[in-house]
Amino acid sequence: MKPTHIEHIGIAVSNLEAAISFYENTFGLECYKIEEIADQKVRTAFFLVGQTKIELLESTDPEGPIGKFIEKKGEGIHHIAFAVENIEEKLIRAEKSGIKLIDSKPRKGAEGLDIAFLHPKSTSGVLIEICEHRK
Ligand code: ZN
């Protein structure tokens, strides 16, 4: 499932405003959107670097996935997202080849993307998301 590019890198942060200031002041990047995804219990902030986004993730609930991640591992890189074409077909093929999936079907992510996560047990410990712009 050859990706077309790295769509974004997700970074778990404990204070979204402080992290936004860091990226703005240090790299001169512009935060072009803040979006809350109730489903995933996160607030996200987006920056564009070339065609790759930096997606800052702040938990809105300690029991949510980012809340638990930060409690266990602290702030840091949470996942890498590869842009793919025909995400459903890619998931079926991955599953058939024995890759453990977190999502066997795509679900709605931020930025109008359909997203699905592969299990870190199958990916050398990196949480990998594959995503595709919703048609
Ligand atoms: Zn993501």
Side-chain angles (χ1 to χ4, degrees), residues 7-10 40 46 55 57 78-81 109-110 113 115 117 129 131:
E7 215 282 336
H8 62 271
I9 297 171
Q40 290 163 46
F46 294 92
E55 179 185 39
L57 303 152
H78 178 259
H79 66 276
I80 295 177
L113 293 171
I115 68 168
F117 286 97
E129 172 187 328
C131 59

Side-chain angles (χ1 to χ4, degrees), residues 4 20 25 30 40 42 56-58 64-65 71 98-99 119 121 125-129 131:
T4 54
I20 289 170
N25 297 329
E30 186 194 344
Q40 290 163 46
V42 289
L56 304 179
L57 303 152
E58 177 196 62
E71 193 186 304
I99 294 169
H119 199 286
K121 277 192 178 147
V126 178
L127 180 58
I128 294 178
E129 172 187 328
C131 59

Side-chain angles (χ1 to χ4, degrees), residues 52-121:
T52 302
K53 296 166 196 158
I54 300 291
E55 179 185 39
L56 304 179
L57 303 152
E58 177 196 62
S59 182
T60 55
D61 180 341
E63 292 305 308
I66 297 299
K68 284 185 182 160
F69 176 89
I70 287 181
E71 193 186 304
K72 241 167 83 182
K73 299 187 173 174
E75 294 183 292
I77 291 182
H78 178 259
H79 66 276
I80 295 177
F82 292 126
V84 300
E85 282 160 5
N86 304 316
I87 187 168
E88 298 212 16
E89 181 203 313
K90 296 285 175 6
L91 282 170
I92 291 167
R93 239 196 274 167
E95 195 158 41
K96 275 189 185 154
S97 67
I99 294 169
K100 203 172 169 203
L101 305 177
I102 291 175
D103 304 297
S104 56
K105 287 217 164 104
R107 56 190 161 100
K108 285 183 181 182
E111 291 274 272
L113 293 171
D114 286 329
I115 68 168
F117 286 97
L118 313 184
H119 199 286
K121 277 192 178 147

